[in-house]
Amino acid sequence: MTEVMTDEDITREVQKGNTNLFGVLVERYEPKLQRYAKRFLFGYEDAQDIVQDVFLKTYANLQSFDPTQRFSPWIYRIAHNEFINAIKKKGREPLSYFDPDTLFPHPVAKEQPEKDLNEVQTKEMLDQCLDKLDPKYREPLVLYYYEDLDYQSIGEVLRIPVSTVGVRLNRGKQALQKVYLSLHN
Amino acid sequence: MSEENLSEQNNQTKTVQDNVLAAIKAGQVHMKPRWHFVLHTILFIVGLILVLIAALFIGSFFLFTMHQNGAWFAPAFGGSGVRELFTTLPIIFALVAVIFILVLQVLVRHYSFAYAKPVLYTVVAVSVFVIGGSFLIQQSRFHESMLQEARENHLPFAGIFYKQFDVPATARLTPGLVIEQINSGFIMRDPSRRNVTVIITPKTAFPNGEDFDNGDRVIVLGNRQDDLIMAEGIRELRPNERYLPSKDRD
């Protein structure tokens, strides 16, 4: 029965008091968030604990979720906030508070399917060099290439305009290529 | 994925899922009730409205003060008038209004209709709203009424604020009401009800005409020595241009 229920249907039931169904959401999203955490929080040994905290926070705030909206960007947003807090706490990587990319409009880049060698090459570079990228570029690359989120969803998770998502992905790929080439020269 | 990795992941999945459900069952984490979020939203909106009201008040008071001290009309006198404008500008209000606009901008970006757009758009939208609203409020009699109430000591707290900026003395811009014609110019009554003699010289500029009758309201640019002004410029005010406090209105 729960296999045919959408995430939003399940949250509706949990909001009504059927808390056992929350386990289904955990089952569905745990692999995704673990993968997101492992890729974004490079070298953070307590990534699994942080993912657990994400689910606990999701449960605590579930009544604030509107089931007419999509659940996926909402839980990813909670995960994003927890991961950023973890980075700030550890203080290992600088996080810029002021983001000039969001100040001005940019031409909206068309999403490219990249269901070919290009994507394979990009993922290979990501696997090798992701930890060397600025978190500002690392995160949208992880969400796009590993979590398969579209630009709109990434914009909702990061709370930035869709055009800025395109800008960050392009700059992220350029930075990735630089790092990759410097490692292999 | 290899069987080992799958098994490890399944174990991890079980651990996280079990831990989360166990924490929920043990009451270590509670679902916050819906009213908590409704209250949070209400408080947020109330806060946003209060900041908006403050921004509109400060912005409209800035415009009101500029009309009261004549600075608003100074550009009509050309370069010297513009210089005078910048020396008499109530900068503090402009700065506070800008701060409120920035705070409003941050609060508004909490909503998806704002954060999905570049920051420039929300800054412009909020600024236009606050500036436009300030102009509308300044056009109404709100601040003049408040000033009148302050003069009559009917405003216990805000009264001090209004009295502080009640037609501040500026050295080179003097508003007044023409009451008597003399050979070399005219005599006018300034907002503090003092008679001021205005001397017209060949160098006096007249941005909108030279004929001044008794009862005309004017702004005079020039250094004031006691109750005498050698006019560098005189501008008559149109009927819809208010600068004087209500006690001086005909």
Coordinates of all heavy atoms in Angstrom, one line a residue, chain A residues 23 26-27 30-31 34 48-49 51-53 55-56, chain B residues 6-24:
Chain A
G23 N 8.5 6.2 8.9 CA 9.6 5.2 8.6 C 9.7 5.0 7.1 O 10.8 4.8 6.6
V26 N 11.7 7.8 5.7 CA 13.1 7.6 6.1 C 13.7 6.6 5.1 O 14.8 6.8 4.6 CB 13.3 7.2 7.5 CG1 14.7 6.9 7.9 CG2 12.7 8.2 8.5
E27 N 13.0 5.5 4.9 CA 13.5 4.5 4.0 C 13.7 5.0 2.6 O 14.7 4.7 1.9 CB 12.5 3.3 4.0 CG 13.0 2.0 3.5 CD 12.0 0.9 3.6 OE1 10.9 1.2 4.2 OE2 12.3 -0.2 3.2
E30 N 16.7 8.1 3.0 CA 18.0 7.9 3.6 C 19.1 7.6 2.7 O 20.2 8.3 2.8 CB 17.8 6.8 4.7 CG 19.0 6.7 5.7 CD 20.2 5.9 5.2 OE1 20.0 5.1 4.3 OE2 21.3 6.2 5.7
P31 N 18.9 6.8 1.7 CA 20.1 6.6 0.7 C 20.4 7.9 0.0 O 21.6 8.2 -0.2 CB 19.5 5.5 -0.3 CG 18.4 4.9 0.4 CD 17.8 5.9 1.3
Q34 N 22.1 10.3 2.5 CA 23.5 9.8 2.8 C 24.5 10.1 1.7 O 25.6 10.5 1.9 CB 23.5 8.2 3.0 CG 22.8 7.8 4.3 CD 23.7 7.8 5.5 OE1 24.7 8.6 5.5 NE2 23.4 7.1 6.5
Q48 N 26.8 10.5 9.0 CA 25.6 9.7 9.2 C 24.7 10.3 10.4 O 23.5 10.3 10.3 CB 26.0 8.3 9.5 CG 24.8 7.4 9.7 CD 25.1 5.9 9.7 OE1 26.0 5.4 9.1 NE2 24.4 5.1 10.5
D49 N 25.4 10.8 11.4 CA 24.7 11.4 12.5 C 24.0 12.6 12.0 O 22.9 12.9 12.5 CB 25.7 11.8 13.6 CG 26.3 10.6 14.3 OD1 25.6 9.5 14.2 OD2 27.3 10.7 14.9
V51 N 22.8 13.1 9.0 CA 21.6 12.7 8.3 C 20.5 12.3 9.2 O 19.3 12.6 9.0 CB 22.0 11.5 7.3 CG1 20.8 10.9 6.7 CG2 22.9 12.0 6.2
Q52 N 20.9 11.6 10.3 CA 19.9 11.2 11.3 C 19.2 12.5 11.9 O 18.0 12.5 12.0 CB 20.6 10.5 12.4 CG 19.6 9.6 13.3 CD 20.4 8.6 14.1 OE1 21.0 7.7 13.6 NE2 20.5 8.9 15.4
D53 N 20.0 13.5 12.1 CA 19.5 14.8 12.7 C 18.5 15.4 11.7 O 17.5 16.0 12.0 CB 20.6 15.8 13.0 CG 21.4 15.4 14.2 OD1 20.8 14.6 15.0 OD2 22.5 15.8 14.4
F55 N 16.5 13.9 9.6 CA 15.2 13.2 9.7 C 14.5 13.6 11.0 O 13.3 13.8 11.0 CB 15.4 11.7 9.7 CG 15.7 11.2 8.3 CD1 16.9 10.6 8.0 CD2 14.7 11.3 7.3 CE1 17.2 10.1 6.7 CE2 15.0 10.8 6.0 CZ 16.2 10.3 5.7
L56 N 15.2 13.7 12.1 CA 14.6 14.1 13.3 C 14.0 15.5 13.2 O 12.9 15.8 13.7 CB 15.6 14.1 14.5 CG 16.1 12.7 14.8 CD1 17.1 12.7 15.9 CD2 14.9 11.8 15.3
Chain B
L6 N 25.9 -3.3 -0.7 CA 24.4 -3.2 -0.5 C 24.0 -3.7 0.9 O 23.2 -3.1 1.5 CB 23.8 -4.2 -1.6 CG 22.3 -4.1 -1.8 CD1 21.9 -2.7 -2.3 CD2 21.8 -5.1 -2.8
S7 N 24.7 -4.7 1.3 CA 24.4 -5.2 2.7 C 24.8 -4.1 3.7 O 24.0 -3.9 4.7 CB 25.2 -6.5 2.9 OG 25.1 -6.9 4.3
E8 N 25.9 -3.5 3.5 CA 26.4 -2.5 4.5 C 25.4 -1.3 4.5 O 25.0 -0.8 5.5 CB 27.8 -1.9 4.1 CG 28.3 -1.0 5.1 CD 29.6 -0.3 4.6 OE1 30.2 -0.8 3.7 OE2 29.9 0.8 5.1
Q9 N 24.9 -1.0 3.2 CA 24.0 0.2 3.1 C 22.6 -0.2 3.8 O 22.0 0.6 4.4 CB 23.8 0.5 1.7 CG 22.9 1.8 1.6 CD 23.0 2.5 0.2 OE1 23.9 2.3 -0.5 NE2 22.0 3.2 -0.1
N10 N 22.2 -1.5 3.6 CA 21.0 -1.9 4.2 C 21.1 -1.9 5.7 O 20.2 -1.4 6.4 CB 20.6 -3.4 3.8 CG 20.0 -3.4 2.4 OD1 19.5 -2.4 1.9 ND2 20.0 -4.6 1.8
N11 N 22.3 -2.2 6.2 CA 22.5 -2.2 7.7 C 22.4 -0.7 8.2 O 21.8 -0.4 9.2 CB 23.8 -2.8 8.1 CG 23.8 -4.3 8.1 OD1 22.7 -4.8 8.1 ND2 24.9 -4.9 8.0
Q12 N 23.1 0.2 7.4 CA 23.1 1.6 7.7 C 21.6 2.1 7.7 O 21.2 2.9 8.6 CB 23.9 2.4 6.8 CG 25.4 2.3 7.0 CD 26.2 3.1 6.1 OE1 25.7 3.6 5.0 NE2 27.5 3.4 6.5
T13 N 20.9 1.7 6.6 CA 19.5 2.2 6.5 C 18.7 1.8 7.7 O 18.0 2.5 8.3 CB 18.9 1.6 5.2 OG1 19.7 1.9 4.1 CG2 17.5 2.1 5.0
K14 N 18.9 0.5 8.1 CA 18.2 0.0 9.3 C 18.6 0.8 10.5 O 17.7 1.2 11.3 CB 18.5 -1.5 9.5 CG 17.4 -2.3 10.0 CD 17.7 -3.8 10.0 CE 16.5 -4.5 10.6 NZ 16.8 -5.9 10.8
T15 N 19.8 1.1 10.7 CA 20.3 1.8 11.8 C 19.6 3.2 11.9 O 19.1 3.6 12.9 CB 21.8 1.9 11.8 OG1 22.4 0.7 11.7 CG2 22.3 2.6 13.1
V16 N 19.7 3.9 10.8 CA 19.2 5.3 10.8 C 17.7 5.2 11.0 O 17.1 5.9 11.8 CB 19.5 6.0 9.5 CG1 18.7 7.3 9.3 CG2 21.0 6.3 9.4
Q17 N 17.0 4.3 10.2 CA 15.6 4.3 10.3 C 15.2 3.8 11.7 O 14.2 4.4 12.3 CB 15.1 3.2 9.3 CG 13.6 3.2 9.1 CD 13.1 2.3 8.0 OE1 14.0 1.8 7.3 NE2 11.9 1.9 8.0
D18 N 15.9 2.8 12.3 CA 15.5 2.3 13.6 C 15.8 3.4 14.6 O 15.0 3.6 15.6 CB 16.4 1.1 14.0 CG 15.9 -0.1 13.2 OD1 14.8 -0.1 12.7 OD2 16.6 -1.1 13.2
N19 N 16.9 4.1 14.5 CA 17.2 5.2 15.5 C 16.2 6.3 15.4 O 15.7 6.8 16.5 CB 18.6 5.8 15.2 CG 19.7 4.9 15.5 OD1 19.5 3.9 16.3 ND2 20.9 5.2 15.1
V20 N 15.8 6.7 14.3 CA 14.8 7.8 14.1 C 13.5 7.3 14.7 O 12.9 8.1 15.5 CB 14.6 8.2 12.6 CG1 13.5 9.1 12.4 CG2 15.9 8.8 12.1
L21 N 13.0 6.1 14.3 CA 11.7 5.7 14.9 C 11.7 5.4 16.4 O 10.8 5.7 17.1 CB 11.2 4.4 14.1 CG 10.9 4.6 12.6 CD1 10.5 3.3 12.0 CD2 9.7 5.6 12.5
A22 N 12.9 5.0 16.8 CA 13.0 4.7 18.3 C 13.0 6.1 19.0 O 12.4 6.2 20.1 CB 14.3 4.0 18.6
A23 N 13.6 7.1 18.5 CA 13.6 8.4 19.1 C 12.2 9.0 19.1 O 11.8 9.6 20.1 CB 14.6 9.3 18.3
I24 N 11.5 8.7 18.1 CA 10.1 9.2 18.0 C 9.2 8.5 19.0 O 8.5 9.1 19.8 CB 9.5 9.0 16.6 CG1 10.2 9.9 15.6 CG2 8.0 9.3 16.6 CD1 9.8 9.7 14.1

